[in-house]
Amino acid sequence: MIGCGKMGGALLDHWMTGGEDFTVVDPGLESAPAGARLLADRAALGDERFDVVVVAIKPQMIDDLMPPYRDHLSPGGYVLSIAAGTSAARIARAMGGAPVVRVMPNLPAAVGRGVSGLYADSAAETASLAHAEAMMRRAGATVTVDSEDKLDRVTAVAGSGPGYVFELARAYVAAAVEMGFSEDEARAMVLGTMGGAIAMAEAHGAPDLETLRNSVTSKGGTTAAGLDALNGDGLITARLRDTLAAAYDRAVELR
């Protein structure tokens, strides 16, 4: 594993629950999860080879840092990249044409509730993609797509999604505080309500969220009045559509 920042470290904590042995190369890291070997530089690897090389460094560092690791990938191995906004082709070039599986994780992977998109280039074997999927499922749910364009769409929906949810929750809490509740009271009510509603949707297993919404909405009642103010004019629907489009467009620019 080359680099081990915030996201890389969060994933490694979950990956360590599997059967793989991990070696981390990161000069700025003081410690790694128990059971992982930590090295300060590539030279310490000697002539060792690995079944998977994980790219967890910043995109601007890839072209300079990754080429020397070509010699450390075993025949039949693959490269797993969590470097945001970096194409599989660029990773493959840096690694001498090695097979690449790109992963777009999101922040809740840190607590085992992530949603990660995966894309395998044409050189990657089915077994390599299956292994990458199994690793990512240790940190939450996975969505495998057949193009990098779709991975950019996963980025717009799930990769950036926690930010949207945190902003909605922040505004919800602020509105509750304006109604006279303390910050702690508002936060407890809002997060509890959001978490409970999501758990209810997951428990029902039905894709029709409109039915669930209607099940808690009595005609002429308080929920109906609140929903009419929230999205009666379709503004929230339109803003969310614009939100995803803007995030997708930016992901394409960074590709």
Side-chain angles (χ1 to χ4, degrees):
M1 186 172 182
I2 315 307
C4 192
K6 188 173 183 180
M7 179 58 75
L11 290 173
L12 184 57
D13 283 337
H14 294 286
W15 290 343
M16 290 293 295
T17 63
E20 301 90 352
D21 294 320
F22 284 89
T23 294
V24 177
V25 180
D26 190 325
L29 198 65
E30 295 183 357
S31 64
R37 180 176 61 154
L38 177 61
L39 303 176
D41 56 58
R42 186 190 65 83
L45 291 173
D47 59 358
E48 290 184 71
R49 288 178 176 263
F50 301 86
D51 296 318
V52 183
V53 171
V54 180
V55 181
I57 56 178
K58 295 179 180 179
Q60 60 266 32
M61 302 168 67
I62 287 170
D63 296 332
D64 292 331
L65 291 186
M66 292 310 302
Y69 285 97
R70 297 174 182 179
D71 296 335
H72 296 289
L73 184 64
S74 298
Y78 73 98
V79 179
L80 176 65
S81 174
I82 64 168
T86 306
S87 68
R90 182 180 169 196
I91 298 293
R93 282 195 303 271
M95 288 293 290
V100 176
V101 177
R102 275 191 65 195
V103 177
M104 180 63 237
N106 67 6
L107 190 58
V111 294
R113 291 296 304 272
V115 177
S116 299
L118 295 95
Y119 163 75
D121 69 8
S122 59
E125 297 181 358
T126 300
S128 297
L129 176 58
H131 177 256
E133 289 171 332
M135 286 180 62
M136 295 312 301
R137 280 195 291 270
R138 297 172 203 166
T142 61
V143 178
T144 299
V145 297
D146 59 7
S147 72
E148 288 193 280
D149 182 70
K150 287 185 179 178
L151 192 63
D152 288 336
R153 296 171 191 269
V154 172
T155 298
V157 176
S160 299
Y164 316 150
V165 175
F166 292 145
E167 175 61 11
L168 289 169
R170 182 205 61 76
Y172 195 173
V173 168
V177 169
E178 288 184 11
M179 291 196 77
F181 295 101
S182 70
E183 184 79 22
D184 288 344
E185 291 171 333
R187 180 183 171 89
M189 285 192 293
V190 168
L191 296 187
T193 298
M194 293 178 75
I198 290 170
M200 185 176 177
E202 291 177 336
H204 277 69
D208 188 357
L209 296 174
E210 184 177 359
T211 298
L212 285 174
R213 182 203 64 193
N214 292 342
S215 72
V216 297
T217 307
S218 300
K219 186 176 181 179
T222 58
T223 305
L227 285 171
D228 185 60
L230 177 67
N231 201 31
D233 56 3
L235 181 60
I236 293 294
T237 300
R239 290 299 294 271
L240 284 172
R241 187 183 301 117
D242 291 345
T243 297
L244 299 188
Y248 166 71
D249 290 343
R250 183 57 177 155
V252 171
E253 290 175 3
L254 294 172
R255 189 184 303 167

